[in-house]
Amino acid sequence: MTDYSKLTKDELGKKLDDAKKEIESLKVEQIKAKSDKIKQEKAKNDPSNLNLAQKLAKAMDDMGALAKDGSNNSQGWTFISESAIKAAIRRVAGKYGFAIIPTKINKIDKYERKTSRGGTLYFYDVIQDFIVTDGKEQYEMQMIGTGSDSGDKAVNKAVTVAFKNLEKQLFNVSDQNDPDPDSETNEATVPAKESQPRKPGRPNNGTKNVKRTIDWSKPKNISDSDLKNHLVRYPNGTFVNVGTILAHVRKGNADAKKFADNLKGHDAIAYIELDRRTMIADAVNKIKEDKKQEA
């Protein structure tokens, strides 16, 4: 240890100067280290240094939850509108530097249905191709969409639905009114000859056909199982059995009731007959319960 009492004035001055230089050097190093850390953090969060997957993940996080801003007044339910989703995506896409580009449209089906008022609704099923890119990387994607209209807007609506579905799936935008695939189970199959003829290109529902014929002219002779498991196609292309539709109607689901009221052909026969049998069974059970209480 240095004995400063024995140092001359010049030696003490030199020691002081050395100490000041050391302190200054240390400060510079600390400032530089802090600056480097700040630069590293900025570089880490700079969108230009992120890959496409990281950009999409950060964009998803920035979007957060979206409020339901649309409503269906006739059926009494709310939803996240297409414009709200697009506005949120437009903001994060600009911030992180990527774009969603629609490309080829593939028409997979066209069909029509009569309305309860005697009109005609025209349906289109399409598969829309998309490219998600930041100019360096790109992901190729597809999404299905179904649109209906009494005029010439069915295709436009189908493409719009496909785009909205892609945006919701890509950024995990949830809507409480969207059906959960695990919420229902279709147990049965549609016998090949009793279902309405499938039009060319109609998506297969993936069920196995049973080789037997149902006489739809005598609905009272059809088994409960065949009635419950008869599959009906929703406008969005999915299939649901009649038993599930009736269960939703009996629970007061307005959408299911409206859909059931517009059923035609074998679909209507299966629903009406199953509903009749269910009401009879309920009445019988009620009588049995009343007799038990009287006893």
Side-chain angles (χ1 to χ4, degrees), residues 4-239:
Y4 290 100
S5 63
K6 295 181 179 180
L7 297 179
T8 64
K9 184 178 179 180
D10 291 340
E11 289 174 333
L12 284 172
K14 187 176 182 307
K15 285 286 186 182
L16 182 60
D17 290 340
D18 290 343
K20 288 181 179 180
K21 289 179 181 178
E22 186 176 349
I23 292 171
E24 290 298 325
S25 177
L26 182 61
K27 286 182 178 180
V28 170
E29 289 180 3
Q30 290 176 337
I31 293 172
K32 185 176 182 301
K34 188 174 182 179
S35 176
D36 289 344
K37 186 176 180 180
I38 293 173
K39 288 180 180 179
Q40 289 175 1
E41 288 296 326
K42 286 185 177 180
K44 183 179 179 182
N45 295 315
D46 186 347
S48 63
N49 294 323
L50 301 175
N51 61 40
L52 183 53
Q54 291 171 325
K55 291 178 181 179
L56 294 176
K58 284 189 172 291
M60 189 189 310
D61 185 56
D62 275 11
M63 283 177 61
L66 299 183
K68 295 180 181 180
D69 62 326
S71 62
N72 185 313
N73 295 327
S74 62
Q75 298 177 13
W77 49 273
T78 58
F79 57 91
I80 303 173
S81 69
E82 180 202 6
S83 59
I85 296 173
K86 286 192 179 303
I89 293 175
R90 188 182 304 114
R91 175 176 57 82
V92 294
K95 178 179 179 180
Y96 291 104
F98 64 85
I100 304 173
I101 304 171
T103 56
K104 183 180 178 183
I105 299 174
N106 308 281
K107 186 191 79 173
I108 58 175
D109 201 8
K110 177 185 177 182
Y111 48 101
E112 60 187 57
R113 285 181 178 172
K114 295 296 182 181
T115 66
S116 58
R117 297 183 179 180
T120 302
L121 274 180
Y122 302 96
F123 289 80
Y124 271 89
D125 294 337
V126 302
I127 292 179
Q128 171 81 65
D129 293 345
F130 297 91
I131 292 176
V132 182
T133 180
D134 61 355
K136 301 174 185 176
E137 300 177 80
Q138 71 176 40
Y139 298 140
E140 295 181 2
M141 301 180 177
Q142 286 186 325
M143 183 56 68
I144 190 170
T146 295
S148 63
D149 192 74
S150 58
D152 59 355
K153 298 183 179 65
V155 174
N156 291 341
K157 290 182 178 180
V159 172
T160 299
V161 170
F163 208 149
K164 183 178 179 181
N165 286 342
L166 176 86
E167 292 170 326
K168 292 176 71 175
Q169 294 296 324
L170 184 60
F171 295 97
N172 286 335
V173 178
S174 63
D175 188 327
Q176 187 178 354
N177 289 306
D178 286 343
D180 188 326
D182 290 330
S183 65
E184 298 174 348
T185 301
N186 295 333
E187 301 175 351
T189 62
V190 180
K193 295 185 179 180
E194 89 270 30
S195 62
Q196 296 181 10
R198 183 182 297 280
K199 295 183 179 181
R202 185 76 61 90
N204 195 330
N205 65 342
T207 60
K208 181 179 180 182
N209 290 333
V210 179
K211 293 182 179 179
R212 57 189 174 81
T213 302
I214 289 181
D215 186 356
W216 289 97
S217 65
K218 299 178 181 179
K220 292 183 179 181
N221 295 337
I222 302 174
S223 70
D224 289 350
S225 177
D226 285 335
L227 292 173
K228 290 179 181 178
N229 296 323
H230 177 73
L231 292 180
V232 177
R233 178 176 178 161
Y234 272 153
N236 65 3
T238 60
F239 287 83

Side-chain angles (χ1 to χ4, degrees), residues 258-272:
K258 182 178 179 180
F259 179 74
D261 289 342
N262 289 315
L263 292 175
K264 305 293 182 182
H266 298 164
D267 298 342
I269 292 172
Y271 178 83
I272 293 171

